[in-house]
Amino acid sequence: MGAFAIQPELNFSTKGASTEYGGSLFNGEADFNLSYIELPILAVFRVGDAFDVHAGPYIGYLVGANFEAEDNFFTTETDLDRDNFKPLDYGIAAGLAFNFDTISLGARYNFGLQEVADSSEAETLLGDAKNSVAQLYISFNVK
């Protein structure tokens, strides 16, 4: 690879939030998950042979939404109606990769620009929340 390249990817990503709750009788944890198929298109700038800087836009399509809660007495898992959430997510991705002979190790941050909620019910719970996620990855270099 030269000093610059365009790197398209196709990824599956689960984003969401986790919270702990409790009262005098019970304590628990709730997880809210949104699953996306994502297509980032990244500009890759090579710095020497061992280091890359990545930056560019991404777009994702919502393929699933669920809610899981576990407390002292019950475990609940339910799929959520995807119509309550915007079907497309988009934003900016940026990261770094360290290149070795046959693998690369990297870290990336995706900053979402689209609000997640698409119904009044979801907006009541989520407000104007947007997706953002830090990722660690390993890739295999084919020469």
PDB file of all heavy atoms in Angstrom, residues 18-42:
ATOM      1  N   SER A  18     -26.117   0.474  29.002  1.00  0.00           N
ATOM      2  CA  SER A  18     -26.348  -0.400  30.137  1.00  0.00           C
ATOM      3  C   SER A  18     -26.493   0.473  31.368  1.00  0.00           C
ATOM      4  O   SER A  18     -25.783   1.469  31.511  1.00  0.00           O
ATOM      5  CB  SER A  18     -25.165  -1.354  30.291  1.00  0.00           C
ATOM      6  OG  SER A  18     -25.381  -2.246  31.349  1.00  0.00           O
ATOM      7  N   THR A  19     -27.427   0.114  32.234  1.00  0.00           N
ATOM      8  CA  THR A  19     -27.610   0.874  33.462  1.00  0.00           C
ATOM      9  C   THR A  19     -27.917  -0.064  34.612  1.00  0.00           C
ATOM     10  O   THR A  19     -28.471  -1.143  34.404  1.00  0.00           O
ATOM     11  CB  THR A  19     -28.735   1.923  33.306  1.00  0.00           C
ATOM     12  OG1 THR A  19     -28.791   2.732  34.471  1.00  0.00           O
ATOM     13  CG2 THR A  19     -30.085   1.262  33.099  1.00  0.00           C
ATOM     14  N   GLU A  20     -27.521   0.324  35.787  1.00  0.00           N
ATOM     15  CA  GLU A  20     -27.848  -0.435  36.990  1.00  0.00           C
ATOM     16  C   GLU A  20     -28.956   0.305  37.724  1.00  0.00           C
ATOM     17  O   GLU A  20     -29.015   1.536  37.705  1.00  0.00           O
ATOM     18  CB  GLU A  20     -26.616  -0.572  37.882  1.00  0.00           C
ATOM     19  CG  GLU A  20     -25.549  -1.438  37.255  1.00  0.00           C
ATOM     20  CD  GLU A  20     -24.341  -1.642  38.154  1.00  0.00           C
ATOM     21  OE1 GLU A  20     -24.358  -1.175  39.308  1.00  0.00           O
ATOM     22  OE2 GLU A  20     -23.384  -2.270  37.690  1.00  0.00           O
ATOM     23  N   TYR A  21     -29.845  -0.460  38.336  1.00  0.00           N
ATOM     24  CA  TYR A  21     -30.938   0.138  39.089  1.00  0.00           C
ATOM     25  C   TYR A  21     -31.108  -0.614  40.395  1.00  0.00           C
ATOM     26  O   TYR A  21     -30.606  -1.717  40.561  1.00  0.00           O
ATOM     27  CB  TYR A  21     -32.244   0.131  38.281  1.00  0.00           C
ATOM     28  CG  TYR A  21     -32.697  -1.236  37.833  1.00  0.00           C
ATOM     29  CD1 TYR A  21     -33.537  -2.007  38.621  1.00  0.00           C
ATOM     30  CD2 TYR A  21     -32.279  -1.774  36.622  1.00  0.00           C
ATOM     31  CE1 TYR A  21     -33.949  -3.256  38.230  1.00  0.00           C
ATOM     32  CE2 TYR A  21     -32.682  -3.024  36.213  1.00  0.00           C
ATOM     33  CZ  TYR A  21     -33.520  -3.764  37.014  1.00  0.00           C
ATOM     34  OH  TYR A  21     -33.921  -5.002  36.613  1.00  0.00           O
ATOM     35  N   GLY A  22     -31.790  -0.016  41.313  1.00  0.00           N
ATOM     36  CA  GLY A  22     -31.976  -0.696  42.581  1.00  0.00           C
ATOM     37  C   GLY A  22     -32.929   0.045  43.487  1.00  0.00           C
ATOM     38  O   GLY A  22     -33.268   1.204  43.283  1.00  0.00           O
ATOM     39  N   GLY A  23     -33.360  -0.687  44.448  1.00  0.00           N
ATOM     40  CA  GLY A  23     -34.253  -0.163  45.461  1.00  0.00           C
ATOM     41  C   GLY A  23     -33.970  -0.887  46.764  1.00  0.00           C
ATOM     42  O   GLY A  23     -32.948  -1.548  46.917  1.00  0.00           O
ATOM     43  N   SER A  24     -34.878  -0.788  47.684  1.00  0.00           N
ATOM     44  CA  SER A  24     -34.663  -1.426  48.974  1.00  0.00           C
ATOM     45  C   SER A  24     -34.803  -2.946  48.896  1.00  0.00           C
ATOM     46  O   SER A  24     -34.222  -3.658  49.700  1.00  0.00           O
ATOM     47  CB  SER A  24     -35.627  -0.858  50.016  1.00  0.00           C
ATOM     48  OG  SER A  24     -36.957  -1.057  49.592  1.00  0.00           O
ATOM     49  N   LEU A  25     -35.544  -3.466  47.895  1.00  0.00           N
ATOM     50  CA  LEU A  25     -35.773  -4.913  47.805  1.00  0.00           C
ATOM     51  C   LEU A  25     -34.991  -5.611  46.693  1.00  0.00           C
ATOM     52  O   LEU A  25     -34.762  -6.812  46.767  1.00  0.00           O
ATOM     53  CB  LEU A  25     -37.260  -5.196  47.607  1.00  0.00           C
ATOM     54  CG  LEU A  25     -38.188  -4.768  48.741  1.00  0.00           C
ATOM     55  CD1 LEU A  25     -39.631  -5.032  48.359  1.00  0.00           C
ATOM     56  CD2 LEU A  25     -37.826  -5.509  50.023  1.00  0.00           C
ATOM     57  N   PHE A  26     -34.619  -4.885  45.670  1.00  0.00           N
ATOM     58  CA  PHE A  26     -33.941  -5.558  44.562  1.00  0.00           C
ATOM     59  C   PHE A  26     -32.948  -4.620  43.885  1.00  0.00           C
ATOM     60  O   PHE A  26     -33.063  -3.406  43.953  1.00  0.00           O
ATOM     61  CB  PHE A  26     -34.947  -6.090  43.543  1.00  0.00           C
ATOM     62  CG  PHE A  26     -35.782  -5.020  42.900  1.00  0.00           C
ATOM     63  CD1 PHE A  26     -35.385  -4.430  41.715  1.00  0.00           C
ATOM     64  CD2 PHE A  26     -36.971  -4.592  43.482  1.00  0.00           C
ATOM     65  CE1 PHE A  26     -36.139  -3.447  41.119  1.00  0.00           C
ATOM     66  CE2 PHE A  26     -37.742  -3.615  42.891  1.00  0.00           C
ATOM     67  CZ  PHE A  26     -37.324  -3.043  41.706  1.00  0.00           C
ATOM     68  N   ASN A  27     -31.974  -5.242  43.219  1.00  0.00           N
ATOM     69  CA  ASN A  27     -30.978  -4.549  42.417  1.00  0.00           C
ATOM     70  C   ASN A  27     -30.894  -5.264  41.083  1.00  0.00           C
ATOM     71  O   ASN A  27     -31.088  -6.480  41.009  1.00  0.00           O
ATOM     72  CB  ASN A  27     -29.601  -4.565  43.087  1.00  0.00           C
ATOM     73  CG  ASN A  27     -29.588  -3.789  44.382  1.00  0.00           C
ATOM     74  OD1 ASN A  27     -30.016  -2.648  44.413  1.00  0.00           O
ATOM     75  ND2 ASN A  27     -29.114  -4.422  45.438  1.00  0.00           N
ATOM     76  N   GLY A  28     -30.572  -4.532  40.038  1.00  0.00           N
ATOM     77  CA  GLY A  28     -30.480  -5.177  38.748  1.00  0.00           C
ATOM     78  C   GLY A  28     -29.715  -4.354  37.746  1.00  0.00           C
ATOM     79  O   GLY A  28     -29.194  -3.279  38.044  1.00  0.00           O
ATOM     80  N   GLU A  29     -29.650  -4.912  36.547  1.00  0.00           N
ATOM     81  CA  GLU A  29     -28.981  -4.256  35.430  1.00  0.00           C
ATOM     82  C   GLU A  29     -29.855  -4.389  34.195  1.00  0.00           C
ATOM     83  O   GLU A  29     -30.439  -5.447  33.948  1.00  0.00           O
ATOM     84  CB  GLU A  29     -27.616  -4.898  35.178  1.00  0.00           C
ATOM     85  CG  GLU A  29     -26.827  -4.221  34.093  1.00  0.00           C
ATOM     86  CD  GLU A  29     -25.440  -4.794  33.935  1.00  0.00           C
ATOM     87  OE1 GLU A  29     -24.774  -5.051  34.953  1.00  0.00           O
ATOM     88  OE2 GLU A  29     -25.023  -4.982  32.781  1.00  0.00           O
ATOM     89  N   ALA A  30     -29.941  -3.323  33.406  1.00  0.00           N
ATOM     90  CA  ALA A  30     -30.715  -3.324  32.168  1.00  0.00           C
ATOM     91  C   ALA A  30     -29.792  -2.974  31.010  1.00  0.00           C
ATOM     92  O   ALA A  30     -28.960  -2.076  31.121  1.00  0.00           O
ATOM     93  CB  ALA A  30     -31.865  -2.338  32.262  1.00  0.00           C
ATOM     94  N   ASP A  31     -29.938  -3.706  29.910  1.00  0.00           N
ATOM     95  CA  ASP A  31     -29.157  -3.463  28.700  1.00  0.00           C
ATOM     96  C   ASP A  31     -30.103  -3.182  27.547  1.00  0.00           C
ATOM     97  O   ASP A  31     -31.061  -3.928  27.317  1.00  0.00           O
ATOM     98  CB  ASP A  31     -28.308  -4.684  28.343  1.00  0.00           C
ATOM     99  CG  ASP A  31     -27.254  -4.987  29.379  1.00  0.00           C
ATOM    100  OD1 ASP A  31     -26.650  -4.030  29.885  1.00  0.00           O
ATOM    101  OD2 ASP A  31     -27.053  -6.174  29.686  1.00  0.00           O
ATOM    102  N   PHE A  32     -29.821  -2.139  26.814  1.00  0.00           N
ATOM    103  CA  PHE A  32     -30.585  -1.720  25.653  1.00  0.00           C
ATOM    104  C   PHE A  32     -29.649  -1.829  24.461  1.00  0.00           C
ATOM    105  O   PHE A  32     -28.578  -1.219  24.455  1.00  0.00           O
ATOM    106  CB  PHE A  32     -31.039  -0.270  25.877  1.00  0.00           C
ATOM    107  CG  PHE A  32     -31.740   0.338  24.727  1.00  0.00           C
ATOM    108  CD1 PHE A  32     -33.056   0.036  24.477  1.00  0.00           C
ATOM    109  CD2 PHE A  32     -31.086   1.231  23.903  1.00  0.00           C
ATOM    110  CE1 PHE A  32     -33.714   0.608  23.410  1.00  0.00           C
ATOM    111  CE2 PHE A  32     -31.731   1.803  22.838  1.00  0.00           C
ATOM    112  CZ  PHE A  32     -33.054   1.496  22.596  1.00  0.00           C
ATOM    113  N   ASN A  33     -29.994  -2.664  23.446  1.00  0.00           N
ATOM    114  CA  ASN A  33     -29.086  -2.961  22.333  1.00  0.00           C
ATOM    115  C   ASN A  33     -29.730  -2.671  20.984  1.00  0.00           C
ATOM    116  O   ASN A  33     -30.859  -3.089  20.732  1.00  0.00           O
ATOM    117  CB  ASN A  33     -28.681  -4.435  22.361  1.00  0.00           C
ATOM    118  CG  ASN A  33     -28.020  -4.816  23.657  1.00  0.00           C
ATOM    119  OD1 ASN A  33     -27.024  -4.217  24.047  1.00  0.00           O
ATOM    120  ND2 ASN A  33     -28.574  -5.782  24.353  1.00  0.00           N
ATOM    121  N   LEU A  34     -28.984  -2.005  20.117  1.00  0.00           N
ATOM    122  CA  LEU A  34     -29.372  -1.781  18.729  1.00  0.00           C
ATOM    123  C   LEU A  34     -28.297  -2.410  17.846  1.00  0.00           C
ATOM    124  O   LEU A  34     -27.108  -2.138  18.032  1.00  0.00           O
ATOM    125  CB  LEU A  34     -29.485  -0.285  18.417  1.00  0.00           C
ATOM    126  CG  LEU A  34     -30.530   0.490  19.201  1.00  0.00           C
ATOM    127  CD1 LEU A  34     -30.425   1.979  18.900  1.00  0.00           C
ATOM    128  CD2 LEU A  34     -31.914  -0.014  18.913  1.00  0.00           C
ATOM    129  N   SER A  35     -28.695  -3.243  16.885  1.00  0.00           N
ATOM    130  CA  SER A  35     -27.746  -3.932  16.007  1.00  0.00           C
ATOM    131  C   SER A  35     -27.827  -3.351  14.599  1.00  0.00           C
ATOM    132  O   SER A  35     -28.928  -3.160  14.068  1.00  0.00           O
ATOM    133  CB  SER A  35     -28.051  -5.424  15.965  1.00  0.00           C
ATOM    134  OG  SER A  35     -27.913  -5.973  17.255  1.00  0.00           O
ATOM    135  N   TYR A  36     -26.671  -3.111  14.016  1.00  0.00           N
ATOM    136  CA  TYR A  36     -26.574  -2.469  12.704  1.00  0.00           C
ATOM    137  C   TYR A  36     -25.653  -3.247  11.776  1.00  0.00           C
ATOM    138  O   TYR A  36     -24.662  -3.827  12.215  1.00  0.00           O
ATOM    139  CB  TYR A  36     -25.975  -1.056  12.828  1.00  0.00           C
ATOM    140  CG  TYR A  36     -26.828  -0.074  13.568  1.00  0.00           C
ATOM    141  CD1 TYR A  36     -26.720   0.074  14.946  1.00  0.00           C
ATOM    142  CD2 TYR A  36     -27.742   0.725  12.897  1.00  0.00           C
ATOM    143  CE1 TYR A  36     -27.493   0.998  15.633  1.00  0.00           C
ATOM    144  CE2 TYR A  36     -28.517   1.642  13.575  1.00  0.00           C
ATOM    145  CZ  TYR A  36     -28.392   1.768  14.942  1.00  0.00           C
ATOM    146  OH  TYR A  36     -29.162   2.681  15.618  1.00  0.00           O
ATOM    147  N   ILE A  37     -25.953  -3.187  10.476  1.00  0.00           N
ATOM    148  CA  ILE A  37     -25.008  -3.518   9.421  1.00  0.00           C
ATOM    149  C   ILE A  37     -24.451  -2.171   8.986  1.00  0.00           C
ATOM    150  O   ILE A  37     -25.211  -1.269   8.626  1.00  0.00           O
ATOM    151  CB  ILE A  37     -25.681  -4.239   8.230  1.00  0.00           C
ATOM    152  CG1 ILE A  37     -26.305  -5.562   8.667  1.00  0.00           C
ATOM    153  CG2 ILE A  37     -24.696  -4.425   7.088  1.00  0.00           C
ATOM    154  CD1 ILE A  37     -25.308  -6.622   9.083  1.00  0.00           C
ATOM    155  N   GLU A  38     -23.122  -2.016   9.057  1.00  0.00           N
ATOM    156  CA  GLU A  38     -22.512  -0.717   8.790  1.00  0.00           C
ATOM    157  C   GLU A  38     -21.541  -0.774   7.621  1.00  0.00           C
ATOM    158  O   GLU A  38     -20.861  -1.781   7.407  1.00  0.00           O
ATOM    159  CB  GLU A  38     -21.744  -0.222  10.016  1.00  0.00           C
ATOM    160  CG  GLU A  38     -22.625   0.106  11.171  1.00  0.00           C
ATOM    161  CD  GLU A  38     -21.860   0.654  12.355  1.00  0.00           C
ATOM    162  OE1 GLU A  38     -20.640   0.398  12.485  1.00  0.00           O
ATOM    163  OE2 GLU A  38     -22.488   1.344  13.154  1.00  0.00           O
ATOM    164  N   LEU A  39     -21.494   0.346   6.899  1.00  0.00           N
ATOM    165  CA  LEU A  39     -20.571   0.505   5.785  1.00  0.00           C
ATOM    166  C   LEU A  39     -19.743   1.772   6.013  1.00  0.00           C
ATOM    167  O   LEU A  39     -20.200   2.863   5.711  1.00  0.00           O
ATOM    168  CB  LEU A  39     -21.334   0.609   4.467  1.00  0.00           C
ATOM    169  CG  LEU A  39     -20.502   0.869   3.220  1.00  0.00           C
ATOM    170  CD1 LEU A  39     -19.594  -0.313   2.920  1.00  0.00           C
ATOM    171  CD2 LEU A  39     -21.403   1.157   2.043  1.00  0.00           C
ATOM    172  N   PRO A  40     -18.550   1.642   6.608  1.00  0.00           N
ATOM    173  CA  PRO A  40     -17.651   2.794   6.674  1.00  0.00           C
ATOM    174  C   PRO A  40     -16.820   2.874   5.391  1.00  0.00           C
ATOM    175  O   PRO A  40     -16.457   1.853   4.807  1.00  0.00           O
ATOM    176  CB  PRO A  40     -16.761   2.494   7.876  1.00  0.00           C
ATOM    177  CG  PRO A  40     -16.891   1.046   8.148  1.00  0.00           C
ATOM    178  CD  PRO A  40     -18.115   0.546   7.445  1.00  0.00           C
ATOM    179  N   ILE A  41     -16.570   4.084   4.945  1.00  0.00           N
ATOM    180  CA  ILE A  41     -15.667   4.338   3.819  1.00  0.00           C
ATOM    181  C   ILE A  41     -14.560   5.228   4.383  1.00  0.00           C
ATOM    182  O   ILE A  41     -14.776   6.412   4.624  1.00  0.00           O
ATOM    183  CB  ILE A  41     -16.370   5.045   2.641  1.00  0.00           C
ATOM    184  CG1 ILE A  41     -17.640   4.321   2.241  1.00  0.00           C
ATOM    185  CG2 ILE A  41     -15.401   5.250   1.482  1.00  0.00           C
ATOM    186  CD1 ILE A  41     -17.456   3.115   1.379  1.00  0.00           C
ATOM    187  N   LEU A  42     -13.397   4.651   4.598  1.00  0.00           N
ATOM    188  CA  LEU A  42     -12.341   5.337   5.332  1.00  0.00           C
ATOM    189  C   LEU A  42     -11.171   5.720   4.438  1.00  0.00           C
ATOM    190  O   LEU A  42     -10.735   4.922   3.598  1.00  0.00           O
ATOM    191  CB  LEU A  42     -11.836   4.447   6.465  1.00  0.00           C
ATOM    192  CG  LEU A  42     -12.901   3.971   7.451  1.00  0.00           C
ATOM    193  CD1 LEU A  42     -12.317   2.957   8.413  1.00  0.00           C
ATOM    194  CD2 LEU A  42     -13.486   5.150   8.200  1.00  0.00           C
TER     195      LEU A  42
END
